[in-house]
Amino acid sequence: MAPEAPRIPPEDGIASIVAAAPGYTVAVRALCEFTAKRGDLDLRFTPSPTGAEGIEGHGVVTARRAAGYQTEVPLEGDFGPLRVRGRADGWDPAARRLEEIKTYRGDLAHVPDNHRQLHWAQVRVYGALICRQLGLPQVELALVYFNIDSRQETVFSESQPANALQAFFEDQCQRFTAWSAQEAAHRNARDAALNALQFPLPSFRTGQREMAEAVYRCARAGRCLMAQAPTGIGKTVGTLFPLLKAAPPDAARPDAGLDKVFYLAAKTSGRQLALDALRQIRASAAHPPLRGGLPQAPLRVLELVARDKACEHPDKACHGDSCSLARGFYDRLPAARQAAVVEASVASPAPQATGCAEGVLFDKATLREIALRHDVCPYYLGQELARWADVVVGDYNYWFDTSAMLFAMTQMEGWRVAVLVDEAHNLVERARGMYSAELEQGALKALRRAATAVSPPLKRTLDRLNRTWNELQRDQATPYVAADDIPVAFTEALHQTLATLTDLMVDQPALVVDALQSGADLQRFTFDALHFARIAASFGPHSLFDITLRPGRTPLPGRPAASTLCIRNIVPAPHLQARFAAARTVVLFSATLSPRPYHADLLGLPDSTAWIDVPSPFSACQLKVRVARDISTRWRDREKSLVPIVELIARQYVAKPGHYLAFFSSYDYLDQVFGLLRERHPGVPCWEQQRQMPESAREAFLARFTLGGQGIGFAVLGGAFAEGIDLPGDRLIGAFIATLGLPQFNPVNEQIKARMEAIFAGRGYDYTYLYPGLQKVVQAAGRVIRTPADEGVLVLMDDRFARAEVRALLPDWWATRDGVSGLELE
């Protein structure tokens, strides 16, 4: 009788095979990326499958295997204090064959050599683990490359004895051991420091303790939290501090600790507030010594910035043939990484350089200095350090976007993370943008013209797509049409086009330059088409598919109008639910999260999400709120509203000179009121927000709000000056808001309203118009009172502000506090 084929025990049986718990655990992939990645950073265009396509490709390959084939095989083993664990893609116990599956697009020959070396390192480590776990003398290893488009497999295999694999495994572990010991020491020092951490300010502000306690409880319980908290209570410190206190595990609940905290902000100003708060917290932490008595900074903080802001050579491409910082990047990365996490901690620059005498926070400037000292790219050094940082500060997209880096790392490494979402009222619109996509037919036509000269095969492919596109709008009689589904014929044509485009771009990279010289951006169109195809794959009731004809063009026989195709996400919840589930806790905080169901429904928050509404530290006597009921800012009344608005602004300014902000629904409306005020009241100093203002101009706009100064700044509601700016004291004593902030009434928003009504019965108008508009109003009004000592006036210029359903959505403390009425109807 043949011996029974070796099978993998269930995952909970592994503990009996493995030795006592080690001091540091690392994933197989992370280990190999640390030890086996060499050569250049190479980001030349190589089409890759989406995560969903990769999962589906793995399923296709494993489904082809014989009965008894095992998938997602849990493996782990120790090397001294180091534990290595992971899941092998497939194990055939009868053939004693271990498989690692990689999906790809295009020509396999274009997969870089250093990627292949990494893939072989992974499968060999898995081979060592399975030989040790099952007591095998030898095993066959197979690297299976699966083309996601052709559905073909290319297999490379080798047979390896167990002792050779064990030697390879030990060599990789040996390279990692010193680092893992350093990381284990850092983690112990970090946890000890955080256990001893005291609140970094002399005392909690009003409402700050209640918020901090709620954040801490949710982190320990593994729940999400919506925290509505007013300006002025210190939300940034009040959320970061309790999460850091919740990070160290305790004996009673060792699984309740946190590996990392991700602080995500919608704007640069939000990231800076987080870095400033972390400097405060970090300076107050105890600093246990390393061996030899050198100080070890107990908290590593990393700022992630966009690639275009971190790039040293924007005129060069991201590969070794073009950029010196990409050439040999992975060869020089170990020294840069070591310098970042050790040298910087023990050799801190002067306090004035960082704002913290206790060590370095890896903000943009610090990261750049370390990277250039080691001749590596600052942006990609930052991505590497995200693996080793305790707190990462970045944009929303690093966790919530379709290709979110921090989310992907968390999934791969199995981290326990807390995610803080600053100014979370912005997340609905930002998430909609992440899961929406557009294609411009004008770009396709420009590319077709360029292809006539540079590539006849490309021209034929693009012509087929254009014909299918024209079919979509052949009978369209109005400028805008929405549909419930994306026609299958179009998505099939798009996928065929992408297959040709990606092959041509890889095989003939000069085509990109030739097309640009002919007036078409081949690479940009390809990226847009790839994104459109990926978003189309998850299309559902949460989104609209619509076609908008180019303005000023109507279809003519034989000459159809060019159009824009849009997959318009309106309910991001289905896309975000997995992101909330992947974190131990997500804390969303803002001054404007009401009504609670609006954000919970659209974002897809778990049913167990907790809620806290922190009372305002301000009182109604600080803010005089007036409603001008004789003014209507509706579109039909826009012209006749100009003079009353100008005269009301002028009267208030004359009655109490000082600094004011005046907010309007659009630049056109702003320009009309601004021009009339200067004409009728030339003595009133005023300045206005411009379209597409550069950062220097925005700084100059705010710089005019000096202590003791006077004048009126005109701005657009929902723009750069309507939230996230701080003008305390008499730098700002009042605001005028000449709009309810309602989104424009147009065919697109009416379609959104209809879909909202279908999904959330009875809430269509509120979810589309009323709640988003008043959220902007409350945010803009929040610029006036910033501290308990501030006083000011808020003038709401529209009769609809007097309606009960509108007033119910305004902050409670505006209306009454301690029996003092703060809301006047004129």
Side-chain angles (χ1 to χ4, degrees):
M1 179 181 294
E4 182 181 355
R7 297 181 62 82
I8 301 297
E11 189 167 5
D12 56 6
I14 290 176
S16 63
I17 299 172
V18 182
Y24 193 86
T25 300
V26 63
V28 169
R29 180 170 172 178
L31 171 69
C32 294
E33 287 188 345
F34 189 94
T35 61
K37 222 169 185 178
R38 295 289 182 266
D40 294 353
L41 176 68
D42 193 342
L43 296 178
R44 277 175 280 210
F45 178 76
T46 52
S48 59
T50 64
E53 288 171 333
I55 293 171
E56 189 263 344
H58 278 66
V60 171
V61 172
T62 57
R64 295 172 176 175
R65 300 301 185 252
Y69 186 85
Q70 300 175 45
T71 62
E72 291 293 310
V73 180
L75 297 169
E76 60 180 62
D78 297 344
F79 179 80
L82 180 66
R83 173 165 293 176
V84 180
R85 64 169 43 161
R87 289 178 176 271
D89 290 329
W91 167 245
D92 185 338
R96 298 191 179 186
R97 173 184 168 108
L98 187 77
E99 294 188 329
E100 181 72 9
I101 303 166
K102 303 295 181 184
T103 57
Y104 73 100
R105 272 200 166 94
D107 189 343
L108 183 59
H110 293 295
V111 175
D113 287 341
N114 58 354
H115 287 203
R116 293 180 187 235
Q117 292 168 12
L118 176 62
H119 299 160
W120 273 118
Q122 288 178 235
V123 73
R124 286 167 183 155
V125 168
Y126 281 127
L129 294 176
I130 204 166
C131 283
R132 180 195 291 189
Q133 193 158 308
L134 297 178
L136 302 177
Q138 186 167 309
V139 69
E140 183 181 357
L141 305 178
L143 197 52
V144 181
Y145 288 98
F146 178 74
N147 188 307
I148 208 74
D149 295 316
S150 69
R151 323 300 272 181
Q152 296 298 310
E153 297 179 33
T154 302
V155 181
F156 302 95
S157 63
E158 63 181 27
S159 183
Q160 287 274 12
N163 58 355
L165 291 173
Q166 180 64 20
F168 180 83
F169 172 74
E170 291 179 1
D171 179 56
Q172 305 308 302
C173 291
Q174 189 66 52
R175 297 186 198 182
F176 189 72
T177 297
W179 180 270
S180 66
Q182 172 186 291
E183 290 304 289
H186 165 75
R187 181 61 175 263
N188 290 336
R190 185 205 78 168
D191 288 349
L194 294 180
N195 277 325
L197 182 65
Q198 300 296 313
F199 190 65
L201 300 173
S203 63
F204 285 95
R205 299 180 188 176
T206 302
Q208 194 177 39
R209 177 182 286 277
E210 291 84 348
M211 183 178 184
E213 289 175 350
V215 171
Y216 180 85
R217 286 195 299 268
C218 286
R220 300 302 284 184
R223 296 176 65 190
C224 293
L225 172 68
M226 295 175 68
Q228 180 166 268
T231 297
I233 72 162
K235 293 190 288 290
T236 307
V237 171
T239 52
L240 279 167
F241 173 75
L243 285 183
L244 294 175
K245 292 295 293 181
D250 56 45
R253 298 195 59 189
D255 64 331
L258 299 171
D259 297 311
K260 298 180 185 294
V261 174
F262 300 148
Y263 187 104
L264 308 179
K267 299 180 180 179
T268 303
S269 57
R271 296 201 302 271
Q272 189 57 52
L273 286 172
L275 292 173
D276 292 343
L278 285 161
R279 285 188 175 97
Q280 277 186 308
I281 293 170
R282 196 168 179 271
S284 69
H287 286 234
L290 283 174
R291 289 188 303 270
L294 293 175
Q296 166 74 354
L299 196 65
R300 296 176 186 161
V301 178
L302 171 69
E303 179 189 17
L304 292 175
V305 299
R307 186 164 69 175
D308 60 344
K309 293 183 179 179
C311 182
E312 287 293 312
H313 303 294
D315 59 323
K316 294 179 171 58
C318 293
H319 58 79
D321 294 337
S322 177
C323 180
S324 61
L325 298 180
R327 190 178 309 120
F329 173 86
Y330 291 109
D331 301 326
R332 296 189 296 275
L333 177 61
R337 178 173 54 211
Q338 185 73 9
V341 302
V342 176
E343 292 177 22
S345 296
V346 302
S348 303
Q352 60 269 26
T354 63
C356 174
E358 310 300 327
V360 173
L361 279 73
F362 302 120
D363 57 11
K364 177 183 174 183
T366 303
L367 203 60
R368 178 177 183 269
E369 187 277 325
I370 296 170
L372 296 186
R373 179 153 44 95
H374 293 272
D375 293 321
V376 297
C377 171
Y379 176 73
Y380 287 100
L381 175 60
Q383 293 208 348
E384 169 65 19
L385 291 180
R387 300 178 185 276
W388 316 110
D390 302 304
V391 182
V392 180
V393 178
D395 186 84
Y396 289 172
N397 64 283
Y398 285 106
W399 185 260
F400 293 105
D401 204 352
T402 54
S403 55
M405 181 189 75
L406 294 178
F407 173 72
M409 284 184 173
T410 299
Q411 294 287 88
M412 182 182 76
E413 303 284 357
W415 292 330
R416 296 187 301 270
V417 304
V419 179
L420 279 171
V421 185
D422 176 42
E423 300 293 357
H425 61 274
N426 289 302
L427 185 56
V428 170
E429 280 305 311
R430 283 290 304 276
R432 284 172 169 169
M434 294 171 191
Y435 295 94
S436 297
E438 278 191 354
L439 278 180
E440 293 284 350
Q441 196 170 18
L444 173 61
K445 290 185 175 181
L447 199 55
R448 288 170 60 221
R449 289 193 295 269
T452 302
V454 301
S455 174
L458 176 59
K459 174 67 162 56
R460 289 192 294 272
T461 300
L462 296 174
D463 284 346
R464 285 197 298 271
L465 177 63
N466 193 59
R467 286 194 295 272
T468 309
W469 194 321
N470 287 335
E471 281 297 308
L472 296 178
Q473 60 205 41
R474 183 183 59 183
D475 300 323
Q476 185 168 330
T478 58
Y480 174 85
V481 168
D484 292 330
D485 297 298
I486 307 172
V488 173
F490 179 77
T491 57
E492 289 177 347
L494 184 62
H495 281 292
Q496 292 169 0
T497 302
L498 281 170
T500 302
L501 281 172
T502 53
D503 286 344
L504 284 171
M505 286 180 67
V506 172
D507 294 335
Q508 304 175 46
L511 275 180
V512 176
V513 177
D514 294 340
L516 277 173
Q517 291 174 345
S518 301
D521 192 337
L522 173 62
Q523 185 166 280
R524 180 72 268 158
F525 180 81
T526 302
F527 288 162
D528 288 345
L530 280 168
H531 180 62
F532 193 96
R534 289 169 177 171
I535 296 299
S538 59
F539 185 79
H542 49 72
S543 298
L544 297 172
F545 172 63
D546 55 46
I547 307 172
T548 304
L549 301 181
R550 183 185 298 172
R553 291 284 302 275
T554 54
L556 297 174
R559 195 187 74 178
S563 66
T564 300
L565 304 182
C566 182
I567 301 174
R568 196 181 307 274
N569 177 252
I570 57 173
V571 181
H575 300 292
L576 302 187
Q577 285 164 345
R579 309 305 166 102
F580 293 120
R584 178 156 185 83
T585 182
V586 179
V587 178
L588 303 99
F589 62 98
S590 168
T592 50
L593 284 182
S594 290
R596 176 185 179 183
Y598 170 74
H599 293 91
D601 287 345
L602 295 189
L603 296 175
L605 287 162
D607 292 339
S608 62
T609 299
W611 166 266
I612 182 173
D613 190 354
V614 181
S616 174
F618 310 134
S619 64
C621 61
Q622 288 181 256
L623 183 66
K624 184 176 183 180
V625 184
R626 296 162 53 194
V627 176
R629 289 189 291 178
D630 59 339
I631 294 176
S632 167
T633 61
R634 298 169 181 84
W635 175 256
R636 65 176 182 270
D637 301 323
R638 188 68 53 85
E639 189 67 31
K640 65 181 182 182
S641 73
L642 299 178
V643 171
I645 288 175
V646 164
E647 293 307 314
L648 180 52
I649 290 174
R651 284 197 307 273
Q652 175 61 37
Y653 181 82
V654 170
K656 188 169 185 178
H659 278 136
Y660 294 83
L661 277 167
F663 294 101
F664 297 85
S665 56
S666 67
Y667 282 102
D668 288 340
Y669 200 11
L670 181 155
D671 289 341
Q672 289 178 294
V673 176
F674 183 79
L676 189 60
L677 179 68
R678 298 186 70 175
E679 176 187 323
R680 295 173 70 103
H681 299 278
V684 176
C686 55
W687 54 97
E688 64 177 329
Q689 179 181 356
Q690 302 289 337
R691 293 170 174 83
Q692 298 179 335
M693 249 178 151
E695 188 170 351
S696 58
R698 293 198 299 270
E699 291 173 354
F701 182 97
L702 291 174
R704 299 188 67 166
F705 291 86
T706 56
L707 289 172
Q710 297 179 0
I712 304 172
F714 280 63
V716 172
L717 192 72
F721 306 114
E723 63 176 88
I725 63 168
D726 198 19
L727 300 170
D730 65 2
R731 291 182 65 193
L732 185 70
I733 65 167
F736 307 96
I737 301 180
T739 173
L740 262 72
L742 306 184
Q744 187 181 30
F745 182 86
N746 58 34
V748 174
N749 285 330
E750 283 298 283
Q751 282 292 332
I752 293 175
K753 186 183 79 169
R755 181 61 58 86
M756 289 288 199
E757 187 66 32
I759 298 173
F760 309 108
R763 300 291 182 88
Y765 174 80
D766 292 344
Y767 278 22
T768 306
Y769 292 105
L770 186 60
Y771 296 163
L774 288 181
Q775 183 174 275
K776 294 177 185 177
V777 169
V778 175
Q779 279 290 328
R783 302 313 96 204
V784 180
I785 304 298
R786 308 297 294 175
T787 74
D790 289 347
E791 293 183 358
V793 62
L794 173 64
V795 183
L796 303 174
M797 296 187 284
D798 192 287
D799 61 282
R800 289 168 290 181
F801 281 113
R803 294 179 178 175
E805 66 271 22
V806 172
R807 291 172 61 185
L809 297 171
L810 303 178
D812 292 341
W813 71 272
W814 288 9
T816 182
R817 176 63 62 88
D818 301 328
V820 180
S821 175
L823 184 63
E824 296 182 3
L825 303 179
E826 298 184 347

